[in-house]
Amino acid sequence: MTGDQDSSAVVRDQYEAYPYPPRIPAKEAERRIIRGSPSPLDELNHYVFGGRRDFRQPFRALVAGCGTGDAAIMLGYELQASGCPAEVVCIDLSNAALGIVERRAKTRGLRNLRLHRASLLELDGLSLRGFDYIDCCGVLHHLDDPPAGLAALRRALAPGGGIGLMVYAPLGRAGVYEVQALLRLTGEGLSLDQRIDLALLTLDALPDGHPFKTNKGITDHHLLGHAGIVDLLLHARDRAYLVPELVALVRGAGLAISGFIEPARYQPVRYVSDPGLKARLSALAPEDAWAAAELISGTIKKHICYLVEPATLSSALARPDSPDVVPLLDVRDQAEFAGRLSRGSGLVLNYDGAKLRYPLPRGATALILAIDGRRSLAEIHAALGATAGPYERFKEAFDMLYTALNAGNMMFLRYPASRK
Ligand SMILES: C[S@@+](CC[C@H](N)C(=O)[O-])C[C@H]1O[C@@H](n2cnc3c(N)ncnc32)[C@H](O)[C@@H]1O
């Protein structure tokens, strides 16, 4: 057995004992969908297919390292609800995790999931390929050789397909790696369950000034029970990527980043108000700007991004450049949201203490209320009537609204051909 197989077995055993995240299949009967990025259908259409994917056509997705199935269930549900002839292939090393996905899918009546116990490194050998979309969330950073993992995913893509990726980021995980290292020192020779007890005792003993204690963004150990403790603090293999390291990983696989979620977090000019500083940040090339945003923020704990082939990059990201485009709002309560915006002087996105400000156009409330997920910009303009003024003025207002709401991951675009 090679060292890699050996340590992969440790990772697998960990997720057999503590499938992640902990989920109760019977809860699917409550019909609530656990939504998250990457991979909501409108979001992936926006960042991978320029908003132009026709979901009436067959769609093949892979969830690589599906864990207990949050993305698989969300994607399977959204595709089934839209009537798309789709197949969502789910692979994972952990049988326990796959068992939970299977029971969740059954409870919810999903018919489009196919489950395989496999490593994503085995995709070639299993002839699992030709995927329009691959979700790989929280997995690559647990591999012995993440570049080999991303290369395997790329080979499994259909032409023009894309990947929704999440990997850890170090600055927002301040304290985590120190506690992991400490527990490796003190936990030598103990079973996993004994090390969980040790971790709990250790967390109680940490001084108030310890970076893990002052890091309010880390919550898994409070919210996810023993599975959360294991995943966060007792992981056999876990690394984090600064933006330049992520860019190198992605480029090494022959891919390109079409967008980050949430976009606002990666726009450094939004963190500062001094005009001179803004000007220097505005002058940065995109990859340096993303890196600068991570360094200014200091709190990004994971990078969520969409990857496409460089040749399709220019068309992968949807843009509001035609009156045909259909804006889609992703907020819980549209009327409440519109009302809240009408009382403020712009949109303020509050991310881990950073307040990122976006101006809004006059008439933003009426515009938001006119968006119904079906009407195009031209149709919304017509519906608003004389108050909206000529199309050019309306479009300027829409662009300002779009800049703000897309930055906060609350607005995507879809072109008519991809209507569900
Ligand atoms: C932190 S969990 C993330 C689960 C899920 N993607 C999510 O975001 O909720 C990591 C999962 O990746 C799986 N995994 C780790 N290495 C893998 C590999 N080489 N191939 C397939 N799955 C793997 C683990 O078994 C585990 O279920």
Side-chain angles (χ1 to χ4, degrees):
M1 184 179 274
T2 66
D4 181 33
Q5 283 165 329
D6 201 18
S7 57
S8 292
V10 178
V11 171
R12 184 197 61 215
D13 291 350
Q14 173 193 317
Y15 286 112
E16 288 293 8
Y18 289 98
Y20 186 91
R23 293 288 181 243
I24 300 165
K27 285 209 159 210
E28 296 301 320
E30 295 167 11
R31 313 320 285 167
R32 191 173 76 90
I33 283 286
I34 299 173
R35 287 185 91 236
S37 297
S39 302
L41 210 52
D42 289 332
E43 184 182 291
L44 74 87
N45 188 19
H46 181 103
Y47 287 99
V48 173
F49 301 108
R52 290 187 150 86
R53 180 78 198 189
D54 183 352
F55 288 104
R56 292 165 301 194
Q57 301 302 314
F59 188 75
R60 288 192 76 226
L62 170 72
V63 185
C66 59
T68 52
D70 285 357
I73 298 290
M74 172 181 70
L75 203 46
Y77 169 77
E78 292 197 353
L79 286 163
Q80 189 164 303
S82 69
C84 177
E87 179 178 60
V88 181
V89 175
C90 307
I91 63 166
D92 202 283
L93 297 177
S94 160
N95 258 332
L98 289 167
I100 293 171
V101 184
E102 189 174 18
R103 294 201 296 284
R104 289 179 75 180
K106 190 162 178 234
T107 309
R108 195 170 270 283
L110 294 183
R111 297 177 301 279
N112 51 14
L113 265 50
R114 312 277 172 267
L115 313 185
H116 298 276
R117 180 177 176 172
S119 166
L120 59 84
L121 296 168
E122 299 166 335
L123 287 167
D124 286 333
L126 295 169
S127 298
L128 289 170
R129 62 174 81 94
F131 294 103
D132 301 299
Y133 177 70
I134 299 177
D135 170 287
C136 189
C137 177
V139 182
L140 278 190
H141 48 226
H142 296 317
L143 266 52
D144 187 50
D145 185 353
L150 191 55
L153 297 182
R154 191 206 163 157
R155 286 194 299 277
L157 279 180
I163 299 175
L165 182 72
M166 185 279 270
V167 291
Y168 291 144
L171 304 186
R173 283 168 70 79
V176 170
Y177 294 102
E178 291 81 348
V179 176
Q180 283 187 5
L182 173 63
L183 292 173
R184 267 195 290 277
L185 286 176
T186 54
E188 181 72 38
L190 299 182
S191 70
L192 186 54
D193 285 339
Q194 287 170 324
R195 287 191 291 135
I196 293 173
D197 291 338
L198 187 72
L200 291 168
L201 290 173
T202 304
L203 290 185
D204 276 346
L206 290 180
D208 287 345
H210 191 283
F212 186 83
K213 277 232 165 147
T214 54
N215 186 346
K216 300 294 173 227
I218 297 290
T219 54
D220 266 22
H221 56 304
H222 292 310
L223 301 180
L224 299 179
H226 286 185
I229 299 268
V230 170
D231 197 66
L232 183 67
L233 300 175
L234 296 170
H235 213 290
R237 209 161 48 199
D238 164 344
R239 62 154 300 181
Y241 290 81
L242 285 165
V243 162
E245 296 166 326
L246 172 63
V247 167
L249 174 74
V250 169
R251 198 173 281 154
L255 292 163
I257 296 173
S258 66
F260 280 96
I261 306 298
E262 296 85 4
R265 290 184 188 269
Y266 293 84
Q267 296 170 356
V269 287
R270 300 291 171 176
Y271 288 85
V272 303
S273 50
D274 176 77
L277 203 44
K278 264 189 194 293
R280 292 199 72 80
L281 291 168
S282 302
L284 295 175
E287 289 169 5
D288 290 340
W290 302 332
E294 176 176 36
L295 295 168
I296 294 177
S297 144
T299 57
I300 294 179
K301 57 181 187 246
K302 49 189 168 179
H303 297 299
I304 300 171
C305 55
Y306 286 93
L307 314 180
V308 295
E309 287 166 13
T312 62
L313 185 60
S314 60
S315 58
L317 181 65
R319 294 191 173 78
D321 52 11
S322 147
D324 283 349
V325 76
V326 178
L328 308 166
L329 208 52
D330 194 348
V331 296
R332 211 168 287 155
D333 181 336
Q334 189 167 348
E336 184 276 332
F337 179 69
R340 189 149 41 90
L341 287 191
S342 71
R343 292 189 291 278
S345 57
L347 178 70
V348 183
L349 299 170
N350 195 338
Y351 291 134
D352 304 310
K355 288 190 166 46
L356 312 182
R357 294 173 199 284
Y358 292 80
L360 289 175
R362 283 176 49 179
T365 310
L367 229 171
I368 288 171
L369 290 174
I371 293 171
D372 66 359
R374 301 201 157 272
R375 284 198 279 223
S376 66
L377 283 188
E379 289 163 337
I380 292 172
H381 177 239
L384 287 175
T387 51
Y391 186 80
E392 292 66 34
R393 178 136 58 86
F394 160 82
K395 180 62 169 44
E396 261 174 43
F398 175 79
D399 285 348
M400 192 186 258
L401 181 72
Y402 174 75
T403 299
L405 298 194
N406 179 259
N409 215 36
M410 292 177 275
M411 188 180 279
F412 308 109
L413 302 171
R414 183 165 76 202
Y415 280 83
S418 76
R419 254 185 212 187
K420 290 184 263 178

